[in-house]
Amino acid sequence: MLMLLWDYEMAAEREKLNGLSPTRRLALAVTAIEWTMATMSPPIRDAATRAFLERALVACRRAVSEGQRAVSEQPELIRDYDDVYEGTEEPGTAHLLSAVMECCEAVEGLDAQRVYNVLSYCYEGSMDREDIPDLSLDAERNNRRCVSVIQYQRNLIEEAVATDAGLNS
């Protein structure tokens, strides 16, 4: 199995996710997905994929704004997911669909592993849009987008840890 730069760089961050509150984990995951989508170049062109992602993110944002630990059950999104997933061919979009579904399917709340999966999906989706011809650690290290996604996610985790620590002290 190919190890991505993200796997190496984010391994040390994994444990920090365990220490976050469930509400903070959901907020972190949703923020990562939104940032990834907002900074993708080019923006997602497929209308069905874009509409599905936005529908799912509306439910996710609502849960975060209400301070929930999980997205309320979204049977219609879960039902529609397969059709959208199977119909998307645009690079990186399948990963974003998987990321948003991690949030929507975790009705008991996102555990640390699911958040880690969301972050990985966001990275892989971004990397796929970069169309790196010879995928290697060096190629990823030399790709501005790959490096910026890792740095953004690290910062996001650090902020979440600091915020949770501040609330618990």
Side-chain angles (χ1 to χ4, degrees), residues 2-3 11-12 21-22 32-33 35 37 49 55 57 59 65 75 92 98-99 103 122 126-127 131 151 160 168:
L2 174 69
M3 292 275 295
S21 68
I33 295 167
W35 179 86
M37 283 181 57
T49 301
R55 266 179 47 213
L57 283 169
S65 71
S98 295
C103 296
C122 288
S126 293
M127 188 183 67
D131 194 29
Q151 190 57 54
N168 293 329

Side-chain angles (χ1 to χ4, degrees), residues 29-30 32-34 36-38 40 42-62 71 74 77 80-81 84-85 88 90-104 118 121-122 125 129:
V30 172
I33 295 167
E34 290 180 319
T36 303
M37 283 181 57
M40 275 187 152
I44 296 171
R45 292 180 297 274
D46 180 68
T49 301
R50 212 174 42 247
F52 180 88
L53 287 167
E54 195 49 51
R55 266 179 47 213
L57 283 169
V58 165
C60 292
R61 284 185 207 109
R62 185 178 325 113
V71 177
Q74 299 294 319
L77 284 173
D80 295 345
Y81 170 76
V84 175
Y85 187 88
T88 191
E90 194 173 339
T93 55
H95 290 81
L96 285 177
L97 290 166
S98 295
V100 80
M101 287 313 291
E102 283 279 352
C103 296
C104 291
V118 167
Y121 286 137
C122 288
R129 288 185 88 76

Side-chain angles (χ1 to χ4, degrees), residues 21 28-29 37 63 78-79 91 98 101 104-105 110 114 121 130 138 144 161-162 166-167:
S21 68
L28 186 151
M37 283 181 57
I78 294 167
R79 183 187 65 239
S98 295
M101 287 313 291
C104 291
E105 290 178 329
L110 285 174
R114 281 187 178 257
Y121 286 137
E130 291 298 299
D138 284 338
R144 192 175 326 192
V161 168
L167 293 175

